[in-house]
Amino acid sequence: MKVDKHTVRKLAHLSRLELREEDEDNMIKDLNEILTWVEQLNEVDTEGVEPLTNMSHEVNVFREDQVGEHLDHEKALKNAPKKDEDFFRVPKFLNQ
Amino acid sequence: MENFRNFNQISLSLSKGSTSCVDIVNHYLKNIKEKSHLNAFLEVFEKDALDQAKSVDEKLKKGSAGKLAGMVIGIKDVLCYKDHKVQASSKILEGFESQFTSTAVQKLIEEDAVIIGRLNCDEFAMGSSNENSAYGPVLNATDNQRVPGGSSGGCAVAVQANLCTATIGSDTGGSVRQPASFCGVIGLKPTYSRVSRFGLLAYASSFDVIGTFTNNIEDSALILETMAGQDQFDSTVSRNEVPTYSKNLTFEGKAKIGYIKETLNGEGINDEVRDNFLESINRFKAAGHDIEEVSLPLMKYALPTYYILITAEASSNLSRYDGVRYGYRSPNTKDMESLYKKSRSEGFGEEVRRRIMLGTFVLSASYYDAFYTKAQKVRNLIKEQVENLLSRYDFLIMPTSPTTAFKLGEHNQNPLEMYLADLFTVQASVAGIPAISIPNGKDSNGMDFGLQIMANFFEEEKLLAFSNCYLKNEWKI
């Protein structure tokens, strides 16, 4: 079993998710099932094979570096759940 | 009022002067209201659509209208449209309004298509039945007890139930083709990078492709040729010239077709689906094409490869939803960390959270090579095998899905079981090649079969022409 209680809590923290204690067992079960299933890839011999990292056929697409349109201040703040005239507002996190 | 099922009927009616673009939009608005129980639309842009239609009618009078004048298009809720809401059927984007329009939608509007609303889908396009939407499932119009497929379920049903002329969605591992198959419409996934992804909410960036849902091939061709092509806002988009697909929809001569034996012999394929597929093979033979069995030995590894890579990419792409700059913020926060965690846990649904966790796992330092890099290597091998087959065959065919539309609630207890719905669609996504699902008859429950046809990179023209001839059963051999 790859994922135990300790791992699932660590994963949740890294993912910035909160897992309720009553949901932990289910998540552990699901993740282990899926991971066991994907491990069948170990049957494939990939000795000397390069990992495929780019799906586009385009390489080095250049253009002039020009000032284009940008979002103005008011618009950038428009969708913020909490804001003042100038900034996004978040809880204080320095010198707590 | 005529029942406008495709753009050709609309154009004829407009040119005769027997109808206007406003009439057409009103016709669809009425259908949408009558069939609101299907839950296909999350929002109808009624006023904007009518305003747009009025301006199209004026242009038509002046003779300055674009080539899509009269076409009414719905967009999946993952495509940005300026000053309109977009939220990937997720609570985490509650209230969010786009600041710009996606390139694909922009190009359609520039040719005078009317955008009628945004369509329900699985949350962040993660799912195969449209049951993962925070706004409830979409119902298959043929049988309301059954799912429309996913993730673009709303898109498929909107075309199936005649709620607009065509829709555009996104296909990461089958999200256009599988619902198209379940709903008896045409679903096209172009080559990766054929259409700009600018303004498409990112899920798995090395797989995501914008595709079309239509009732006929002419419309798929017309929409694709309008949306595709260069875009200064997407550095991965192909700079290859875009053919005028709609002008060349006749496939001439004999095709060399391969059908993948692993799809027919493998587990999970429904008997009626297999029989329906074998019947298609005979139809191709009878028409005079060369068709033979081929092997794709790595076939069964495509789905696990896909799930490793897409969860990894999703965990990274969805990190932007943090409750700070836009979207949902939990009211129960006390510090920065709880703001992130509570907003994301309350905002994302179960499947999205599971995929983020899984992606975080496969990208973690101790497992990166064993899972993520391994999957990238297998992806390379699968792509090579597929390319190799397509160097010898014009087309590869298989059923779009191992089953027809299943019942609501039938597969959502176990995530792995649901993942198998993508069994036949992920190969084209892993390789990046174009693929289409076309309606192919009905099963004993009256549910549609889909036939999937795949072609080599950037061969959409050939793929569309061939599909068109198959659907019309008119061949020039």
Side-chain angles (χ1 to χ4, degrees), chain B residues 246-293:
Chain B
S246 63
K247 296 279 180 249
N248 188 12
L249 288 176
T250 309
F251 184 86
E252 291 185 11
K254 242 186 209 192
K256 215 162 173 238
I257 308 165
Y259 65 92
I260 299 171
K261 73 169 184 203
E262 284 81 0
T263 53
L264 294 178
N265 306 337
E267 287 166 48
I269 181 169
N270 169 284
D271 288 343
E272 284 195 63
V273 171
R274 185 190 287 113
D275 291 345
N276 171 265
F277 183 72
L278 293 172
E279 220 173 277
S280 307
I281 294 176
N282 287 332
R283 281 180 62 189
F284 284 118
K285 266 188 204 151
H289 296 294
D290 290 334
I291 183 160
E292 54 194 44
E293 186 179 270

Short mmCIF file of all heavy atoms in Angstrom, two decimals, chain B residues 246-293:
data_model
loop_
_atom_site.label_atom_id
_atom_site.label_comp_id
_atom_site.label_asym_id
_atom_site.label_seq_id
_atom_site.Cartn_x
_atom_site.Cartn_y
_atom_site.Cartn_z
N SER B 246 -14.55 22.66 -45.51
CA SER B 246 -15.94 22.56 -45.97
C SER B 246 -16.06 22.50 -47.49
O SER B 246 -17.09 22.13 -48.01
CB SER B 246 -16.76 23.74 -45.42
OG SER B 246 -16.25 24.96 -45.93
N LYS B 247 -14.99 22.89 -48.18
CA LYS B 247 -15.05 22.88 -49.65
C LYS B 247 -14.64 21.54 -50.25
O LYS B 247 -14.69 21.34 -51.45
CB LYS B 247 -14.14 23.98 -50.22
CG LYS B 247 -14.56 25.38 -49.85
CD LYS B 247 -15.69 25.89 -50.75
CE LYS B 247 -16.10 27.29 -50.37
NZ LYS B 247 -17.46 27.34 -49.76
N ASN B 248 -14.12 20.67 -49.39
CA ASN B 248 -13.62 19.42 -49.93
C ASN B 248 -14.10 18.25 -49.07
O ASN B 248 -13.32 17.65 -48.34
CB ASN B 248 -12.10 19.48 -49.99
CG ASN B 248 -11.54 18.28 -50.73
OD1 ASN B 248 -12.29 17.53 -51.39
ND2 ASN B 248 -10.25 18.05 -50.62
N LEU B 249 -15.36 17.93 -49.18
CA LEU B 249 -15.92 16.91 -48.30
C LEU B 249 -16.23 15.59 -49.01
O LEU B 249 -17.03 14.80 -48.57
CB LEU B 249 -17.17 17.44 -47.60
CG LEU B 249 -16.87 18.49 -46.53
CD1 LEU B 249 -18.15 19.06 -45.93
CD2 LEU B 249 -15.98 17.93 -45.43
N THR B 250 -15.57 15.40 -50.16
CA THR B 250 -15.74 14.12 -50.84
C THR B 250 -14.43 13.35 -50.83
O THR B 250 -13.40 13.86 -51.26
CB THR B 250 -16.19 14.33 -52.30
OG1 THR B 250 -17.31 15.20 -52.29
CG2 THR B 250 -16.58 13.01 -52.94
N PHE B 251 -14.47 12.15 -50.32
CA PHE B 251 -13.28 11.30 -50.29
C PHE B 251 -13.29 10.44 -51.54
O PHE B 251 -14.24 9.71 -51.80
CB PHE B 251 -13.28 10.42 -49.04
CG PHE B 251 -12.05 9.59 -48.90
CD1 PHE B 251 -10.93 10.11 -48.28
CD2 PHE B 251 -12.01 8.29 -49.39
CE1 PHE B 251 -9.77 9.34 -48.15
CE2 PHE B 251 -10.85 7.51 -49.27
CZ PHE B 251 -9.74 8.05 -48.65
N GLU B 252 -12.21 10.54 -52.32
CA GLU B 252 -12.19 9.77 -53.56
C GLU B 252 -11.19 8.64 -53.48
O GLU B 252 -10.10 8.79 -52.93
CB GLU B 252 -11.87 10.70 -54.73
CG GLU B 252 -13.03 11.65 -54.99
CD GLU B 252 -12.83 12.52 -56.22
OE1 GLU B 252 -11.91 12.25 -57.00
OE2 GLU B 252 -13.61 13.47 -56.37
N GLY B 253 -11.57 7.52 -54.03
CA GLY B 253 -10.66 6.37 -54.09
C GLY B 253 -10.84 5.42 -52.94
O GLY B 253 -11.74 5.56 -52.11
N LYS B 254 -9.95 4.44 -52.95
CA LYS B 254 -9.99 3.38 -51.95
C LYS B 254 -9.21 3.83 -50.72
O LYS B 254 -8.10 4.35 -50.86
CB LYS B 254 -9.25 2.17 -52.54
CG LYS B 254 -10.09 0.96 -52.70
CD LYS B 254 -9.20 -0.17 -53.17
CE LYS B 254 -10.03 -1.14 -54.00
NZ LYS B 254 -9.32 -2.37 -54.26
N ALA B 255 -9.76 3.58 -49.56
CA ALA B 255 -9.01 3.89 -48.35
C ALA B 255 -8.42 2.61 -47.78
O ALA B 255 -8.97 1.53 -47.95
CB ALA B 255 -9.92 4.53 -47.32
N LYS B 256 -7.27 2.79 -47.12
CA LYS B 256 -6.68 1.65 -46.41
C LYS B 256 -7.00 1.84 -44.92
O LYS B 256 -6.57 2.82 -44.30
CB LYS B 256 -5.17 1.65 -46.66
CG LYS B 256 -4.67 0.27 -46.75
CD LYS B 256 -3.33 0.09 -47.39
CE LYS B 256 -3.00 -1.39 -47.19
NZ LYS B 256 -1.81 -1.70 -46.51
N ILE B 257 -7.81 0.94 -44.41
CA ILE B 257 -8.31 1.12 -43.04
C ILE B 257 -7.82 -0.01 -42.14
O ILE B 257 -7.83 -1.18 -42.53
CB ILE B 257 -9.86 1.09 -43.03
CG1 ILE B 257 -10.43 2.08 -44.05
CG2 ILE B 257 -10.40 1.40 -41.65
CD1 ILE B 257 -11.90 1.85 -44.36
N GLY B 258 -7.40 0.34 -40.97
CA GLY B 258 -7.02 -0.68 -39.98
C GLY B 258 -7.99 -0.64 -38.82
O GLY B 258 -8.37 0.43 -38.37
N TYR B 259 -8.43 -1.81 -38.38
CA TYR B 259 -9.20 -1.82 -37.13
C TYR B 259 -8.40 -2.54 -36.07
O TYR B 259 -7.73 -3.54 -36.34
CB TYR B 259 -10.61 -2.41 -37.30
CG TYR B 259 -10.68 -3.85 -37.68
CD1 TYR B 259 -10.78 -4.84 -36.70
CD2 TYR B 259 -10.68 -4.24 -39.01
CE1 TYR B 259 -10.85 -6.18 -37.03
CE2 TYR B 259 -10.75 -5.57 -39.35
CZ TYR B 259 -10.83 -6.54 -38.37
OH TYR B 259 -10.89 -7.87 -38.71
N ILE B 260 -8.42 -1.97 -34.89
CA ILE B 260 -7.50 -2.42 -33.85
C ILE B 260 -8.06 -3.63 -33.13
O ILE B 260 -9.12 -3.57 -32.50
CB ILE B 260 -7.21 -1.26 -32.90
CG1 ILE B 260 -6.55 -0.13 -33.71
CG2 ILE B 260 -6.31 -1.69 -31.76
CD1 ILE B 260 -6.39 1.16 -32.98
N LYS B 261 -7.36 -4.75 -33.26
CA LYS B 261 -7.91 -6.01 -32.76
C LYS B 261 -8.05 -5.99 -31.24
O LYS B 261 -8.95 -6.59 -30.68
CB LYS B 261 -7.10 -7.20 -33.23
CG LYS B 261 -5.75 -7.37 -32.58
CD LYS B 261 -5.15 -8.74 -32.93
CE LYS B 261 -3.84 -8.90 -32.16
NZ LYS B 261 -2.94 -9.85 -32.75
N GLU B 262 -7.16 -5.25 -30.56
CA GLU B 262 -7.21 -5.21 -29.09
C GLU B 262 -8.53 -4.62 -28.58
O GLU B 262 -8.93 -4.92 -27.46
CB GLU B 262 -6.04 -4.40 -28.53
CG GLU B 262 -4.70 -5.14 -28.55
CD GLU B 262 -4.02 -5.09 -29.91
OE1 GLU B 262 -4.58 -4.50 -30.86
OE2 GLU B 262 -2.93 -5.69 -30.04
N THR B 263 -9.19 -3.80 -29.40
CA THR B 263 -10.45 -3.23 -28.93
C THR B 263 -11.56 -4.28 -28.93
O THR B 263 -12.50 -4.21 -28.16
CB THR B 263 -10.93 -2.06 -29.83
OG1 THR B 263 -10.95 -2.50 -31.18
CG2 THR B 263 -10.05 -0.87 -29.70
N LEU B 264 -11.46 -5.25 -29.84
CA LEU B 264 -12.54 -6.23 -29.97
C LEU B 264 -12.34 -7.41 -29.05
O LEU B 264 -13.29 -8.05 -28.61
CB LEU B 264 -12.65 -6.71 -31.41
CG LEU B 264 -13.08 -5.64 -32.40
CD1 LEU B 264 -13.11 -6.20 -33.81
CD2 LEU B 264 -14.45 -5.10 -32.03
N ASN B 265 -11.08 -7.70 -28.74
CA ASN B 265 -10.80 -8.88 -27.92
C ASN B 265 -10.68 -8.55 -26.44
O ASN B 265 -10.72 -9.43 -25.60
CB ASN B 265 -9.50 -9.55 -28.38
CG ASN B 265 -9.53 -9.86 -29.87
OD1 ASN B 265 -10.61 -9.97 -30.44
ND2 ASN B 265 -8.39 -9.97 -30.50
N GLY B 266 -10.54 -7.27 -26.16
CA GLY B 266 -10.31 -6.88 -24.76
C GLY B 266 -11.55 -7.01 -23.91
O GLY B 266 -12.66 -7.28 -24.39
N GLU B 267 -11.34 -6.85 -22.61
CA GLU B 267 -12.46 -6.90 -21.68
C GLU B 267 -13.26 -5.61 -21.77
O GLU B 267 -12.78 -4.61 -22.24
CB GLU B 267 -11.94 -7.02 -20.24
CG GLU B 267 -11.37 -8.36 -19.89
CD GLU B 267 -10.58 -8.28 -18.60
OE1 GLU B 267 -11.10 -7.70 -17.63
OE2 GLU B 267 -9.44 -8.78 -18.58
N GLY B 268 -14.47 -5.67 -21.27
CA GLY B 268 -15.22 -4.44 -21.07
C GLY B 268 -16.05 -4.00 -22.26
O GLY B 268 -16.89 -3.12 -22.13
N ILE B 269 -15.84 -4.60 -23.44
CA ILE B 269 -16.64 -4.17 -24.59
C ILE B 269 -17.97 -4.93 -24.61
O ILE B 269 -18.02 -6.15 -24.49
CB ILE B 269 -15.87 -4.30 -25.93
CG1 ILE B 269 -16.75 -3.81 -27.09
CG2 ILE B 269 -15.36 -5.72 -26.15
CD1 ILE B 269 -16.01 -3.65 -28.40
N ASN B 270 -19.01 -4.15 -24.73
CA ASN B 270 -20.36 -4.69 -24.75
C ASN B 270 -20.62 -5.45 -26.06
O ASN B 270 -20.12 -5.07 -27.11
CB ASN B 270 -21.29 -3.46 -24.60
CG ASN B 270 -22.72 -3.75 -24.86
OD1 ASN B 270 -23.13 -3.89 -26.01
ND2 ASN B 270 -23.50 -3.82 -23.80
N ASP B 271 -21.36 -6.56 -25.98
CA ASP B 271 -21.58 -7.41 -27.16
C ASP B 271 -22.25 -6.67 -28.32
O ASP B 271 -21.87 -6.83 -29.48
CB ASP B 271 -22.45 -8.62 -26.80
CG ASP B 271 -21.68 -9.62 -25.95
OD1 ASP B 271 -20.43 -9.52 -25.94
OD2 ASP B 271 -22.31 -10.46 -25.29
N GLU B 272 -23.24 -5.86 -27.96
CA GLU B 272 -23.95 -5.13 -29.04
C GLU B 272 -23.01 -4.12 -29.71
O GLU B 272 -23.10 -3.89 -30.91
CB GLU B 272 -25.16 -4.38 -28.47
CG GLU B 272 -26.34 -5.29 -28.17
CD GLU B 272 -27.63 -4.49 -27.96
OE1 GLU B 272 -28.05 -3.81 -28.92
OE2 GLU B 272 -28.17 -4.51 -26.85
N VAL B 273 -22.11 -3.51 -28.90
CA VAL B 273 -21.15 -2.57 -29.47
C VAL B 273 -20.22 -3.30 -30.44
O VAL B 273 -19.93 -2.81 -31.54
CB VAL B 273 -20.34 -1.85 -28.36
CG1 VAL B 273 -19.19 -1.04 -28.95
CG2 VAL B 273 -21.24 -0.96 -27.51
N ARG B 274 -19.78 -4.50 -30.02
CA ARG B 274 -18.89 -5.27 -30.89
C ARG B 274 -19.60 -5.63 -32.20
O ARG B 274 -19.04 -5.46 -33.29
CB ARG B 274 -18.42 -6.53 -30.17
CG ARG B 274 -17.38 -7.30 -31.00
CD ARG B 274 -17.06 -8.68 -30.45
NE ARG B 274 -16.26 -8.62 -29.25
CZ ARG B 274 -16.69 -8.99 -28.04
NH1 ARG B 274 -17.92 -9.45 -27.89
NH2 ARG B 274 -15.91 -8.91 -27.00
N ASP B 275 -20.83 -6.11 -32.09
CA ASP B 275 -21.57 -6.49 -33.31
C ASP B 275 -21.79 -5.30 -34.24
O ASP B 275 -21.65 -5.41 -35.45
CB ASP B 275 -22.94 -7.09 -32.93
CG ASP B 275 -22.78 -8.43 -32.25
OD1 ASP B 275 -21.67 -9.01 -32.32
OD2 ASP B 275 -23.76 -8.90 -31.63
N ASN B 276 -22.12 -4.18 -33.64
CA ASN B 276 -22.33 -2.97 -34.43
C ASN B 276 -21.05 -2.60 -35.17
O ASN B 276 -21.07 -2.22 -36.35
CB ASN B 276 -22.78 -1.83 -33.51
CG ASN B 276 -22.82 -0.49 -34.22
OD1 ASN B 276 -21.87 0.27 -34.17
ND2 ASN B 276 -23.92 -0.21 -34.90
N PHE B 277 -19.94 -2.75 -34.48
CA PHE B 277 -18.65 -2.40 -35.09
C PHE B 277 -18.30 -3.36 -36.23
O PHE B 277 -17.85 -2.93 -37.30
CB PHE B 277 -17.56 -2.40 -34.01
CG PHE B 277 -16.22 -1.98 -34.53
CD1 PHE B 277 -15.98 -0.65 -34.86
CD2 PHE B 277 -15.20 -2.90 -34.70
CE1 PHE B 277 -14.76 -0.25 -35.36
CE2 PHE B 277 -13.96 -2.51 -35.19
CZ PHE B 277 -13.74 -1.18 -35.52
N LEU B 278 -18.54 -4.65 -36.00
CA LEU B 278 -18.26 -5.63 -37.05
C LEU B 278 -19.09 -5.35 -38.30
O LEU B 278 -18.63 -5.53 -39.43
CB LEU B 278 -18.52 -7.05 -36.53
CG LEU B 278 -17.56 -7.52 -35.42
CD1 LEU B 278 -18.01 -8.85 -34.82
CD2 LEU B 278 -16.13 -7.62 -35.94
N GLU B 279 -20.30 -4.88 -38.07
CA GLU B 279 -21.18 -4.51 -39.18
C GLU B 279 -20.56 -3.36 -40.01
O GLU B 279 -20.61 -3.36 -41.23
CB GLU B 279 -22.50 -4.02 -38.59
CG GLU B 279 -23.75 -4.44 -39.29
CD GLU B 279 -24.95 -4.00 -38.45
OE1 GLU B 279 -25.31 -4.74 -37.51
OE2 GLU B 279 -25.47 -2.90 -38.71
N SER B 280 -19.96 -2.40 -39.30
CA SER B 280 -19.31 -1.28 -39.99
C SER B 280 -18.16 -1.77 -40.84
O SER B 280 -17.94 -1.30 -41.96
CB SER B 280 -18.76 -0.26 -39.00
OG SER B 280 -19.74 0.14 -38.12
N ILE B 281 -17.41 -2.73 -40.31
CA ILE B 281 -16.30 -3.28 -41.07
C ILE B 281 -16.82 -3.84 -42.40
O ILE B 281 -16.25 -3.59 -43.46
CB ILE B 281 -15.58 -4.39 -40.26
CG1 ILE B 281 -14.91 -3.77 -39.03
CG2 ILE B 281 -14.57 -5.14 -41.12
CD1 ILE B 281 -14.25 -4.77 -38.10
N ASN B 282 -17.94 -4.55 -42.31
CA ASN B 282 -18.53 -5.10 -43.53
C ASN B 282 -19.00 -4.01 -44.49
O ASN B 282 -18.89 -4.16 -45.71
CB ASN B 282 -19.70 -6.02 -43.19
CG ASN B 282 -19.21 -7.32 -42.59
OD1 ASN B 282 -18.10 -7.76 -42.90
ND2 ASN B 282 -20.01 -7.94 -41.73
N ARG B 283 -19.50 -2.92 -43.91
CA ARG B 283 -19.93 -1.82 -44.80
C ARG B 283 -18.75 -1.22 -45.56
O ARG B 283 -18.86 -0.87 -46.73
CB ARG B 283 -20.64 -0.73 -43.97
CG ARG B 283 -22.09 -1.10 -43.64
CD ARG B 283 -22.78 -0.02 -42.84
NE ARG B 283 -22.88 1.25 -43.55
CZ ARG B 283 -23.29 2.38 -42.98
NH1 ARG B 283 -23.64 2.39 -41.70
NH2 ARG B 283 -23.37 3.49 -43.68
N PHE B 284 -17.62 -1.08 -44.85
CA PHE B 284 -16.43 -0.56 -45.53
C PHE B 284 -15.96 -1.52 -46.62
O PHE B 284 -15.58 -1.11 -47.71
CB PHE B 284 -15.29 -0.31 -44.53
CG PHE B 284 -15.48 0.93 -43.70
CD1 PHE B 284 -15.60 0.86 -42.32
CD2 PHE B 284 -15.53 2.18 -44.30
CE1 PHE B 284 -15.77 2.01 -41.55
CE2 PHE B 284 -15.70 3.34 -43.54
CZ PHE B 284 -15.82 3.25 -42.16
N LYS B 285 -15.98 -2.80 -46.28
CA LYS B 285 -15.59 -3.83 -47.26
C LYS B 285 -16.50 -3.77 -48.48
O LYS B 285 -16.04 -3.76 -49.62
CB LYS B 285 -15.71 -5.22 -46.63
CG LYS B 285 -14.42 -5.72 -46.03
CD LYS B 285 -14.59 -7.19 -45.60
CE LYS B 285 -13.56 -7.47 -44.50
NZ LYS B 285 -14.01 -8.51 -43.57
N ALA B 286 -17.81 -3.73 -48.21
CA ALA B 286 -18.80 -3.73 -49.30
C ALA B 286 -18.62 -2.50 -50.19
O ALA B 286 -18.84 -2.56 -51.40
CB ALA B 286 -20.21 -3.76 -48.71
N ALA B 287 -18.17 -1.39 -49.58
CA ALA B 287 -17.98 -0.18 -50.38
C ALA B 287 -16.71 -0.27 -51.23
O ALA B 287 -16.50 0.54 -52.13
CB ALA B 287 -17.91 1.03 -49.46
N GLY B 288 -15.87 -1.27 -50.94
CA GLY B 288 -14.68 -1.47 -51.76
C GLY B 288 -13.38 -1.02 -51.13
O GLY B 288 -12.33 -1.00 -51.78
N HIS B 289 -13.41 -0.63 -49.86
CA HIS B 289 -12.17 -0.21 -49.21
C HIS B 289 -11.36 -1.41 -48.74
O HIS B 289 -11.91 -2.49 -48.53
CB HIS B 289 -12.49 0.68 -47.99
CG HIS B 289 -13.16 1.96 -48.37
ND1 HIS B 289 -12.52 2.92 -49.11
CD2 HIS B 289 -14.42 2.43 -48.13
CE1 HIS B 289 -13.35 3.94 -49.30
NE2 HIS B 289 -14.52 3.65 -48.72
N ASP B 290 -10.06 -1.19 -48.58
CA ASP B 290 -9.20 -2.23 -48.02
C ASP B 290 -9.22 -2.10 -46.51
O ASP B 290 -8.79 -1.08 -45.97
CB ASP B 290 -7.75 -2.06 -48.50
CG ASP B 290 -7.62 -2.39 -49.96
OD1 ASP B 290 -8.45 -3.19 -50.45
OD2 ASP B 290 -6.71 -1.84 -50.61
N ILE B 291 -9.70 -3.12 -45.86
CA ILE B 291 -9.78 -3.03 -44.40
C ILE B 291 -9.19 -4.29 -43.78
O ILE B 291 -9.47 -5.40 -44.23
CB ILE B 291 -11.23 -2.77 -43.93
CG1 ILE B 291 -11.28 -2.61 -42.42
CG2 ILE B 291 -12.22 -3.80 -44.41
CD1 ILE B 291 -12.52 -1.88 -41.93
N GLU B 292 -8.32 -4.11 -42.81
CA GLU B 292 -7.76 -5.30 -42.16
C GLU B 292 -7.47 -5.06 -40.69
O GLU B 292 -7.40 -3.93 -40.23
CB GLU B 292 -6.50 -5.76 -42.90
CG GLU B 292 -5.45 -4.70 -43.07
CD GLU B 292 -4.38 -5.10 -44.09
OE1 GLU B 292 -4.74 -5.63 -45.16
OE2 GLU B 292 -3.19 -4.87 -43.79
N GLU B 293 -7.29 -6.18 -40.02
CA GLU B 293 -7.03 -6.13 -38.58
C GLU B 293 -5.59 -5.69 -38.35
O GLU B 293 -4.68 -6.15 -39.03
CB GLU B 293 -7.25 -7.55 -38.02
CG GLU B 293 -7.16 -7.63 -36.54
CD GLU B 293 -7.41 -9.07 -36.05
OE1 GLU B 293 -8.58 -9.39 -35.80
OE2 GLU B 293 -6.44 -9.83 -35.93
#
